[in-house]
Amino acid sequence: ITEGLTAGLVPMDISRVEDTLVILWVRAAIPVTGWRLHTAPNTISDRAKATNEFQGLGFTLWGISVYEDLAWFLFLKQPEPQRSGTVSVYNKGTGSITDGIIRATADRWLPVGIAATVDNYYVAYVR
């Protein structure tokens, strides 16, 4: 990730697939002063704990992936004030992701990452 940042690329999201970590890169003038990848058990409390821990260190949640029983997080540190982050889970069979994103954006949450499992969508938000 450091090499990509040095080349003027910004990691916008991640995806963990089997033994590979895929990074969505975008060439952009977004200042990034640090980054971290982190894993946590894929539970509500562990996802919140990871997000809060890295926010406390000055990082912003930037991307998420879910593979097997782990949530994978991409956190970036930027020179501007950090933003709050959260992860919402939506059941695939209900259409709740559409309503959830509409409600979240109305409440000033910006979706920055998305992951999917067989049953659920996971959306990372910041504000």
Side-chain angles (χ1 to χ4, degrees):
I1 292 180
T2 301
E3 289 178 23
L5 289 168
T6 302
L9 301 171
V10 177
M12 299 303 288
D13 202 2
I14 58 173
S15 183
R16 174 72 161 77
V17 181
E18 295 181 4
D19 62 349
T20 304
L21 182 67
V22 179
I23 301 171
L24 172 63
W25 293 98
V26 174
R27 186 167 304 281
I30 298 172
V32 176
T33 59
W35 63 272
R36 295 289 184 273
L37 291 174
H38 181 72
T39 60
N42 188 22
T43 66
I44 289 173
S45 61
D46 288 314
R47 288 190 307 266
K49 180 180 174 186
T51 302
N52 292 336
E53 175 184 329
F54 279 88
Q55 283 178 182
L57 297 172
F59 288 87
T60 298
L61 176 63
W62 206 260
I64 187 169
S65 183
V66 176
Y67 182 72
E68 294 181 347
D69 294 332
L70 290 177
W72 289 67
F73 301 92
L74 169 64
F75 293 98
L76 298 182
K77 188 178 274 192
Q78 299 177 276
E80 68 246 13
Q82 76 183 59
R83 296 178 277 177
S84 297
T86 191
V87 176
S88 293
V89 182
Y90 306 102
N91 185 281
K92 274 190 172 179
T94 64
S96 62
I97 188 171
T98 302
D99 293 336
I101 291 174
I102 290 169
R103 279 193 310 275
T105 55
D107 197 26
R108 299 184 356 246
W109 287 100
L110 174 68
V112 294
I114 188 167
T117 61
V118 172
D119 298 321
N120 297 310
Y121 294 110
Y122 297 79
V123 179
Y125 294 98
V126 296
R127 71 169 168 193

